[in-house]
Amino acid sequence: MSLLMTKEIRVSEVALLANLERNIAFFASTTLLVLAGVLTLFAQVDQVEEVIGSIPYSTKADHALVQAKLAVLAGIFVMAFFQFTWSMRQYGFLNVMIGAAPIDKEGNNESLKAYAKQMAIVQDQAAHSYNYGLRSYYFSIAALCWFFHSWLLIATSLFVVYTLYRREFKSKAVIAITAAQGHLEHYIASQK
């Protein structure tokens, strides 16, 4: 965001944000469709019980428990929808902040540095909301396994946590991004 403040033309930055917003809008609308499907299953609990009962090694389906499991699944997707739409709104706020940002050719103005930091905070929060929405999808898979057996729910939940940990903290992409950030910070410091 500090580098953005030094540019007169910010078309590429706004285009990148628009691309992010399109991805988030896709997930938000998809979440509504999935939620509609889950809510439709509430009217078909007897058929859901039959399907679960026909699967080998699944536990016997209890009517109230199936409804509780559907409610948990619906709750996960409601939260995912809220996270995606909040992320979209924050990216919209960021676009407005970028549009309103004055140009600081030298990058020396302390007030504008503080403004750039606030833009970065809004962007960071928008990205976190997007991540929370994506994580909801991962955990919905674990919740779906609960329909078949409670031990499968536990195993799948642990697998999801492990997978998210590996992807968000130990993946090659994260290592490369962290290294690139260090190089960029070093470059910026050398330019001062």
Side-chain angles (χ1 to χ4, degrees), residues 154-175:
I154 294 168
T156 311
S157 296
L158 292 173
F159 177 73
V160 166
V161 169
Y162 173 75
T163 301
L164 288 173
Y165 171 76
R166 292 284 305 155
R167 288 186 178 172
E168 294 185 19
F169 297 105
K170 301 292 183 182
S171 68
K172 289 180 181 178
V174 169
I175 293 167

Side-chain angles (χ1 to χ4, degrees), residues 16-30 84 87-88 130 134:
L16 288 170
L17 289 175
N19 186 46
L20 284 170
E21 284 184 281
R22 273 193 303 277
N23 289 335
I24 298 164
F26 166 77
F27 275 106
S29 60
T30 301
F84 287 132
S87 178
M88 286 172 53
Y130 180 50
L134 289 176

Side-chain angles (χ1 to χ4, degrees), residues 93-112:
F93 298 154
L94 180 60
N95 274 326
V96 171
M97 292 176 81
I98 289 172
I103 300 166
D104 182 19
K105 290 258 186 207
E106 288 79 41
N108 296 336
N109 188 303
E110 291 303 317
S111 293
L112 295 181

Side-chain angles (χ1 to χ4, degrees), residues 24-67:
I24 298 164
F26 166 77
F27 275 106
S29 60
T30 301
T31 302
L32 280 179
L33 296 173
V34 172
L35 185 58
V38 171
L39 293 175
T40 302
L41 289 176
F42 274 104
Q44 306 294 326
V45 173
D46 293 331
Q47 287 87 345
V48 173
E49 289 175 14
E50 284 179 35
V51 170
I52 294 170
S54 69
I55 297 173
Y57 307 109
S58 65
T59 57
K60 185 178 182 308
D62 173 72
H63 197 77
L65 189 57
V66 168
Q67 288 179 329

Side-chain angles (χ1 to χ4, degrees), residues 89-165:
R89 287 198 64 200
Q90 290 178 97
Y91 277 118
F93 298 154
L94 180 60
N95 274 326
V96 171
M97 292 176 81
I98 289 172
I103 300 166
D104 182 19
K105 290 258 186 207
E106 288 79 41
N108 296 336
N109 188 303
E110 291 303 317
S111 293
L112 295 181
K113 284 182 184 179
Y115 186 84
K117 182 174 176 133
Q118 295 307 312
M119 286 194 303
I121 289 170
V122 172
Q123 194 281 327
D124 183 60
Q125 292 304 303
H128 281 298
S129 295
Y130 180 50
N131 267 344
Y132 296 148
L134 289 176
R135 288 177 191 150
S136 297
Y137 271 77
Y138 285 103
F139 283 104
S140 71
I141 294 168
L144 190 61
C145 291
W146 187 24
F147 283 92
F148 307 110
H149 203 284
S150 56
W151 284 107
L152 190 56
L153 165 69
I154 294 168
T156 311
S157 296
L158 292 173
F159 177 73
V160 166
V161 169
Y162 173 75
T163 301
L164 288 173
Y165 171 76

